[in-house]
Amino acid sequence: MLLCSASGVAAAEESFVAEKAFTWPDGQKMAISLSYDDALDSQLDNAIPALDRHGLVASFYLTLASPTVRRRLTEWRTAARQGHELGNHTIYHPCSAALPDREWVPSYYNIDDYVIEEIVDEINVANSFLHAIDGRSERTLTPPCGDTLVSGEDYLPAVRDQFVAIKGFESEDKTFANWWGPVGVAGSELIDRINAEAAKGTKLFNIIFHGIGGDYLTVSSEAHDQLLRFLAENSETYWVDSYISIMKYASKNTALEIPQ
């Protein structure tokens, strides 16, 4: 499994440089993972219909306490049947309240006050809940807010073996992977950023959305659709797939045993 460890990252980076024969499935220049965090209504209303219209699949990282999961469970199941990935984004979306502009983090979901066992249990239960939704056993994780310290200790080593990959932690120097969380940008800006990443040699680019045409941290439906149209029309250059499919392909085709 292609996961983040210091020695594993170094080996992965060396492999991608040394193995000149490595390509994405049809020789594309860069893989792109489109993902959508927090289980929001606008993702079901706007993002998934647009993805389906353009023949693209993506990854949806569900915060399982979200009312949208409870109210629209059938629609999430349908999304999984259509090929979209349902990923683990924990149950309660715990983040650090100590960082700047984190007034919105409830005290009872402040990961600074968790212990390792709490976050491990929460992630375990989230995996079980997701299995009940889509019937799948393999999973990827996106840590909420990218925060992985629990009382000063990194919790990723305690959960790493449960996941095919952990988004945002594939590479330290970002030559294999990079990520961006766009908010309020135009479609042309989305496209320009993708072209710029490819030009500098990024192998995998993660675009992490939240609201699409609604909710919060929003990108307009128009900008989102412009991006999807560009990707669909340039599939010979950019491979768009679920994050789990991309990472399984990368792991298999680099022939690496990554130490945990």
Side-chain angles (χ1 to χ4, degrees):
M1 294 189 291
L2 194 59
L3 296 169
C4 176
S5 66
S7 58
V9 165
E13 295 299 336
E14 289 172 5
S15 175
F16 276 105
V17 171
E19 292 184 22
K20 300 300 184 183
F22 176 84
T23 61
W24 295 114
D26 293 312
Q28 293 97 331
K29 187 173 184 178
M30 185 170 73
I32 297 175
S33 168
L34 303 175
S35 66
Y36 304 77
D37 285 1
D38 296 358
L40 303 178
D41 283 315
S42 66
Q43 295 166 4
L44 289 168
D45 294 336
N46 302 324
I48 290 175
L51 287 160
D52 294 344
R53 190 165 59 248
H54 290 285
L56 301 173
V57 296
S59 301
F60 291 83
Y61 287 91
L62 305 191
T63 301
L64 290 160
S66 166
T68 302
V69 175
R70 183 181 67 253
R71 289 187 289 101
R72 305 181 70 173
L73 188 59
T74 300
E75 292 170 81
W76 290 115
R77 284 200 173 106
T78 298
R81 285 196 299 271
Q82 292 169 333
H84 301 295
E85 175 190 3
L86 303 186
N88 192 322
H89 205 43
T90 73
I91 298 176
Y92 300 115
H93 201 284
C95 293
S96 173
L99 297 175
D101 301 317
R102 291 288 181 82
E103 296 82 4
W104 54 268
V105 177
S107 60
Y108 44 88
Y109 296 147
N110 180 5
I111 201 169
D112 302 326
D113 297 331
Y114 275 43
V115 296
I116 291 288
E117 291 78 9
E118 283 180 277
I119 191 63
V120 170
D121 283 351
E122 183 171 333
I123 288 170
N124 283 338
V125 173
N127 271 346
S128 296
F129 195 161
L130 288 164
H131 178 74
I133 297 173
D134 64 13
R136 299 176 187 173
S137 298
E138 293 183 309
R139 200 73 57 190
T140 66
L141 169 73
T142 294
C145 302
D147 297 342
T148 65
L149 295 182
V150 176
S151 300
E153 182 181 354
D154 189 352
Y155 74 75
L156 292 186
V159 300
R160 196 170 272 146
D161 62 357
Q162 299 182 47
F163 297 101
V164 171
I166 298 173
K167 184 174 280 271
F169 295 85
E170 308 93 336
S171 167
E172 291 177 344
D173 66 10
K174 302 300 182 185
T175 57
F176 174 55
N178 204 346
W179 71 272
W180 180 35
V183 177
V185 299
S188 59
E189 294 175 86
L190 292 166
I191 293 167
D192 287 348
R193 178 64 184 271
I194 285 173
N195 288 330
E197 291 294 332
K200 70 182 184 182
T202 299
K203 295 294 185 182
L204 165 62
F205 188 41
N206 296 307
I207 304 180
I208 302 176
F209 293 107
H210 288 79
I212 300 297
D215 294 310
Y216 51 82
L217 299 175
T218 305
V219 169
S220 71
S221 294
E222 294 75 17
H224 181 254
D225 195 72
Q226 187 176 347
L227 168 67
L228 300 189
R229 186 182 310 111
F230 168 81
L231 293 173
E233 292 174 350
N234 290 275
S235 59
E236 74 286 351
T237 303
Y238 302 113
W239 178 38
V240 180
D241 209 329
S242 65
Y243 181 63
I244 194 167
S245 294
I246 292 170
M247 296 306 281
K248 287 173 72 174
Y249 179 91
S251 181
K252 178 180 178 182
N253 287 277
T254 56
L256 293 175
E257 280 295 327
I258 308 259
Q260 303 302 309

